[in-house]
Amino acid sequence: MRLLHTSDWHLGRAFHRVSMLGAQAEFIGHLVTTVRERGVDAVVVSGDVYDRAVPPLAAVELFDDALHRLADLGVPTVMISGNHDSARRLGVGAGLIDRAGIHLRTEPAASGTPVVLRDAHGEVALYGLPYLEPALVKDEFAVEKAAHETVLAAAMDRVRADLAARPTGTRSVVLAHAFVAGGQASESERDITVGGVAVVPAGVFDGVDYAALGHLHGCQTITERVRYSGSPLPYSFSEAEHRKSMWLVDLDADGSVTAERVDCPVPRPLARIRGRLEDLLADPALARHQEAWVEATLTDPVRPADPMARLTERFPHTLHLAFDPDRAPDEPDVSYARRLAGRGDQQIAEDFVAHVRGAGPDAGERAVLREAFDAVRTDETRHGATR
């Protein structure tokens, strides 16, 4: 059985205020063409269909168009909700849409109930595990600790129990939306840390033939059977070196896996350039970036006049301008943004406590901060799902 694995469409998202809707529509067309021309038997979409819980109308219309085009191909499609999606909103009409061969899996309780497809070698069970917010699904899975690993492991126990009751030789695929150990994050993914931990081990997916992952935006192979497709388009300059693609996965009669990357259309290349303004404007080696979306970091000791206007004369698609002057890190006028670079919410809060009172938080206080950040994120997830 040939599967096309994709995820993290983030329909409705902009790139530094540039609408990506046209590029997203081009990607949907590319996906449909790939399904038709490469003999795809099923499409799997591993979460973050939309960029936010309440997507703009244009994004909903594009999703509707994608559903119709996939249904017209007669090729089954399985989708799960991600941490950016409202599971309840995405799942509206799932029972009816199911009849058209589009299977939306947004309910954690249904994790052990697969979509069963058949080919010449027998059945393939596709299990959709939507994004599992630990605090919200803890009771559903009867786990004591609200953590990513515990709830995902409990969901996978249901998968393995269902699979064990199926005919010998049934092949299996799991769709999941999570941060799996060994994966490389980028700046465009929303933090899903719970209790200071976001990562789950790849071994949680043991027992299935293929795990089609979503959440991380870079295409990655964790193991031969556990892969991220990545997002089809870039959503931050940290993805400048990404090769955006989908996985074309062949699941053989014995459950062995072979995979091929299928490149996605590139709306415009990304470039990160750094140096003093006059050097960036004069360097002939940078001519190749004149049609790219550009992030420029200026290192001039003193901020030059009209830097954006001057940059856009040479690089008309400059979208982001940052300053990182050539000074010692301990100089008092180092920018606030520079001091915070690479720090998560928890670390920023702990640093603030240390700054205010001269000593950082103790273990108990760090736990209180961690619980507060977890509670805010959980409330945002619950609010997005129900409003």
Side-chain angles (χ1 to χ4, degrees):
M1 182 169 288
R2 173 163 285 186
L3 310 173
L4 186 63
H5 168 199
T6 177
S7 72
D8 295 274
W9 295 357
H10 289 279
L11 300 181
R13 186 164 184 163
F15 183 75
H16 288 271
R17 300 177 302 282
V18 174
S19 172
M20 296 293 277
L21 205 64
Q24 290 169 340
E26 185 178 358
F27 161 70
I28 295 298
H30 170 67
L31 182 146
V32 171
T33 298
T34 301
V35 171
R36 185 175 56 246
E37 294 183 352
R38 298 299 301 271
V40 172
D41 298 304
V43 176
V44 296
V45 186
S46 299
D48 283 352
V49 174
Y50 291 121
D51 187 56
R52 54 183 184 265
V54 185
L57 179 59
V60 177
E61 290 174 338
L62 180 56
F63 180 57
D64 180 66
D65 177 63
L67 294 183
H68 278 85
R69 295 173 73 178
L70 288 168
D72 287 345
L73 291 174
V75 174
T77 299
V78 183
M79 297 182 171
I80 61 171
S81 50
N83 62 300
H84 280 250
D85 299 309
S86 164
R88 292 183 64 182
R89 185 170 285 106
L90 184 65
V92 168
L96 184 61
I97 296 171
D98 195 82
R99 300 178 190 177
I102 307 294
H103 308 282
L104 299 175
R105 292 295 183 261
T106 62
E107 293 292 336
S111 296
T113 304
V115 175
V116 179
L117 305 179
R118 298 176 183 274
D119 65 7
H121 306 290
E123 294 185 346
V124 178
L126 291 89
Y127 298 88
L129 278 54
Y131 172 67
L132 303 174
E133 179 61 47
L136 299 183
V137 302
K138 175 176 175 287
D139 293 339
E140 166 62 35
F141 291 106
V143 296
E144 293 184 3
K145 183 180 179 182
H148 288 293
E149 182 176 353
T150 55
V151 297
L152 192 54
M156 282 301 301
D157 285 343
R158 294 188 183 184
V159 169
R160 284 185 283 264
D162 179 85
L163 190 58
R166 295 189 174 275
T168 302
T170 299
R171 289 157 291 160
S172 54
V173 175
V174 166
L175 289 72
H177 198 86
F179 193 154
V180 174
Q184 181 65 45
S186 61
E187 295 173 1
S188 55
E189 298 113 5
R190 183 180 295 166
D191 182 25
I192 59 171
T193 301
V194 173
V197 179
V199 178
V200 299
V204 77
F205 299 108
D206 287 350
V208 297
D209 294 312
Y210 184 70
L213 301 181
H215 180 58
L216 300 184
H217 289 181
C219 182
Q220 302 171 61
T221 299
I222 306 301
T223 73
E224 288 304 306
R225 296 183 181 276
V226 180
R227 299 173 186 262
Y228 283 98
S229 67
S231 62
L233 295 165
Y235 294 115
S236 73
F237 277 102
S238 65
E239 300 167 58
E241 301 302 319
H242 286 189
R243 172 186 163 196
K244 295 301 183 180
S245 57
M246 303 176 285
W247 284 113
L248 194 65
V249 177
D250 286 322
L251 192 60
D252 293 340
D254 61 356
S256 59
V257 169
T258 55
E260 172 192 348
R261 290 180 71 174
V262 178
D263 290 331
C264 295
V266 178
R268 192 179 293 278
L270 306 186
R272 302 179 104 170
I273 60 177
R274 178 185 178 90
R276 300 193 177 196
L277 179 60
E278 295 300 333
D279 294 337
L280 297 181
L281 296 178
D283 188 350
L286 298 181
R288 67 187 189 278
H289 298 317
Q290 290 180 191
E291 295 305 315
W293 279 322
V294 169
E295 176 190 68
T297 300
L298 301 185
T299 61
D300 302 72
V302 177
R303 185 174 300 210
D306 300 320
M308 183 60 109
R310 296 172 67 190
L311 276 169
T312 53
E313 288 182 4
R314 186 180 190 194
F315 308 104
H317 305 288
T318 301
L319 299 182
H320 186 239
L321 178 61
F323 295 91
D324 188 11
D326 289 329
R327 300 190 184 108
D330 57 351
E331 288 190 34
D333 54 353
V334 171
S335 73
Y336 182 69
R338 182 177 175 183
R339 293 199 303 272
L340 297 186
R343 298 173 183 265
D345 292 341
Q346 177 86 15
Q347 186 59 55
I348 291 170
E350 292 181 13
D351 289 348
F352 176 75
V353 172
H355 173 74
V356 169
R357 73 181 187 193
D362 60 26
E365 291 168 330
R366 286 196 297 272
V368 170
L369 287 171
R370 187 179 303 118
E371 289 171 4
F373 285 119
D374 290 350
V376 169
R377 194 200 59 261
T378 299
D379 184 66
E380 288 177 344
T381 301
R382 181 185 292 110
H383 185 61
T386 59
R387 67 180 174 181

